[in-house]
């Protein structure tokens, strides 16, 4: 008897996400601008000329003319990428909205030629932790419960592990932190709406939130996360991942027992036998 494939949990409502992205404003794309700077800087350090690039992104405008001959595709569940068609894929500012992040990475690996590069930038787990804490405390106090408001985002260790699960070689992960100051909570929320990054979780509250929740959250935010001049500090965390599609020409780890020199000899120290536990 054939079993039906198990669907991935639909954490995010992509219909709602598309509507939020439609209402974005071009002058609020500072996170994309920062991500582009990181991409260009990292590409400049790779001693290779890429001739078949692809860029996976939610918006095309911030990523125009990054590489000659590039193909830009939207971050849909099924990516419009042909197998082994690209020598570099840049996946930017989209993985934190993916219901199946490993699936996104596997699709990228399959679309890469042998020894092709994946360069990915996404929002990390510390992003908007101040907002998450303030809204949770305020809603619990006012309403006696919690509703999903700030999307869960992966920590750097977990995101790096996804590269290995997806079959990439030589994975590297690092973080670029950014702190932004806002006048108050409405100012922050206005900026998130302009970026198309407001709540699009499937289990989000579907009725208007009481004004008292936001008023109290604004107060809690100011009490705990204000700067010396009274502005609200908001953390954004860009996680940058790189990995390569496997190739025989890449450096390989040595097989266990293949060393030609004992560690004691290499360190030029006497070798000491470890005593048995029974002694």
């Amino acid at each position: 008897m054939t079993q039906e494939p198990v669907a991935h949990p639909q954490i995010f409502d992509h219909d709602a996400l598309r509507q939020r992205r439609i209402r974005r404003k071009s002058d609020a794309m500072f996170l994309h601008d920062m991500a582009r700077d990181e991409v260009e800087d990292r590409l400049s350090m790779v001693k290779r000329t890429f001739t078949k690039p692809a860029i996976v992104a939610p918006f095309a405008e911030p990523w125009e003319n990054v590489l000659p001959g590039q193909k830009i595709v939207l971050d849909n569940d099924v990516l419009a990428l042909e197998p082994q068609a690209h020598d570099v894929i840049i996946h930017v500012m989209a993985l934190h909205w993916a219901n199946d992040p490993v699936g996104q990475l596997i699709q990228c690996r399959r679309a890469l030629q042998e020894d092709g590069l994946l360069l990915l930038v996404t929002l990390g787990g510390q992003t908007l932790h101040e907002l998450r804490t303030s809204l949770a405390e305020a809603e619990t106090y006012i309403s006696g419960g919690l509703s999903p408001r700030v999307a869960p985002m992966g920590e750097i260790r977990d995101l790096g592990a996804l590269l290995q699960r997806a079959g990439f070689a030589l994975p590297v992960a690092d973080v670029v932190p950014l702190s932004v100051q806002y006048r108050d909570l409405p100012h922050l929320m206005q900026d998130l709406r302009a970026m198309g990054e407001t709540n699009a979780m499937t289990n989000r509250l579907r009725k208007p939130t009481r004004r008292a929740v936001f008023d109290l959250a604004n107060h809690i935010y100011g009490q705990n996360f204000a700067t010396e001049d009274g502005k609200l500090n908001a953390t954004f965390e860009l996680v940058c991942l790189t990995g390569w599609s496997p190739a025989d020409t890449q450096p390989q780890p040595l097989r266990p027992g293949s060393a030609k020199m004992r560690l004691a000899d290499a360190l030029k120290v006497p070798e000491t036998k470890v005593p048995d536990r029974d002694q």
Side-chain angles (χ1 to χ4, degrees):
M1 179 177 180
T2 303
Q3 292 183 342
E4 292 293 329
V6 178
H8 289 277
Q10 298 300 297
I11 300 173
F12 303 112
D13 179 350
H14 282 183
D15 290 334
L17 179 61
R18 279 190 287 272
Q19 292 301 314
R20 283 149 176 71
R21 287 175 171 177
I22 288 172
R23 294 193 291 268
R24 76 187 188 279
K25 297 182 179 179
S26 58
D27 58 355
M29 296 287 103
F30 70 90
L31 289 177
H32 291 260
D33 294 337
M34 185 176 178
R36 175 167 177 153
D37 290 343
E38 290 297 324
V39 166
E40 292 179 330
D41 183 55
R42 290 159 196 269
L43 286 175
S44 70
M45 294 186 288
V46 179
K47 305 303 181 184
R48 184 180 298 188
T49 299
F50 296 107
T51 60
K52 299 177 181 178
I55 299 177
V56 179
F59 314 118
E61 300 88 345
W63 305 101
E64 293 176 350
N65 303 318
V66 173
L67 287 170
Q70 66 188 32
K71 175 183 180 180
I72 299 181
V73 303
L74 294 178
D75 60 318
N76 296 324
D77 290 339
V78 178
L79 301 176
L81 297 171
E82 296 296 326
Q84 298 182 331
H86 303 283
D87 52 6
V88 61
I89 294 177
I90 301 168
H91 194 298
V92 281
M93 298 302 293
L95 194 69
H96 59 281
W97 286 118
N99 284 315
D100 180 15
V102 175
Q104 288 277 303
L105 297 180
I106 291 174
Q107 290 181 73
C108 290
R109 179 178 56 77
R110 290 174 176 170
L112 282 170
Q113 298 172 350
E114 187 176 273
D115 201 30
L117 172 65
L118 171 70
L119 174 53
L120 186 146
V121 182
T122 188
L123 292 178
Q126 292 303 304
T127 297
L128 297 177
H129 70 88
E130 305 95 342
L131 178 62
R132 187 193 313 273
T133 299
S134 301
L135 284 173
E137 186 174 341
E139 188 173 22
T140 300
Y141 182 81
I142 298 293
S143 305
L146 283 176
S147 59
R149 293 186 178 274
V150 180
M153 301 175 201
E155 299 293 341
I156 182 171
R157 179 180 300 179
D158 299 327
L159 291 170
L162 292 184
L163 286 177
Q164 294 178 308
R165 287 182 58 190
F168 282 95
L170 310 175
V172 176
D174 63 282
V175 172
V176 180
L178 174 67
S179 293
V180 183
Q181 283 72 51
Y182 292 93
R183 293 188 304 272
D184 50 26
L185 185 58
H187 185 204
L188 169 57
M189 299 299 293
Q190 179 183 8
D191 214 18
L192 292 176
R193 281 193 294 272
M195 287 188 274
E197 293 284 346
T198 49
N199 189 0
M201 285 186 283
T202 301
N203 293 330
R204 68 191 182 279
L205 190 67
R206 301 303 179 104
K207 60 183 181 180
T209 299
R210 296 169 60 182
R211 177 63 180 271
V213 172
F214 291 118
D215 289 342
L216 181 56
N218 188 54
H219 175 75
I220 294 170
Y221 206 132
Q223 288 289 311
N224 294 281
F225 305 109
T227 62
E228 291 183 357
D229 59 356
K231 298 288 184 63
L232 301 187
N233 192 62
T235 297
F236 294 94
E237 185 179 70
L238 294 183
V239 176
C240 302
L241 306 174
T242 58
W244 297 82
S245 56
D248 294 338
T249 56
Q250 293 167 346
Q252 301 294 323
L254 294 175
R255 297 190 307 274
S258 63
K260 297 181 180 179
M261 179 181 291
R262 296 185 305 165
L263 180 61
D265 295 338
L267 298 176
K268 297 181 180 180
V269 297
E271 185 174 17
T272 303
K273 184 179 179 180
V274 179
D276 295 333
R277 290 186 178 183
D278 296 336
Q279 294 181 355

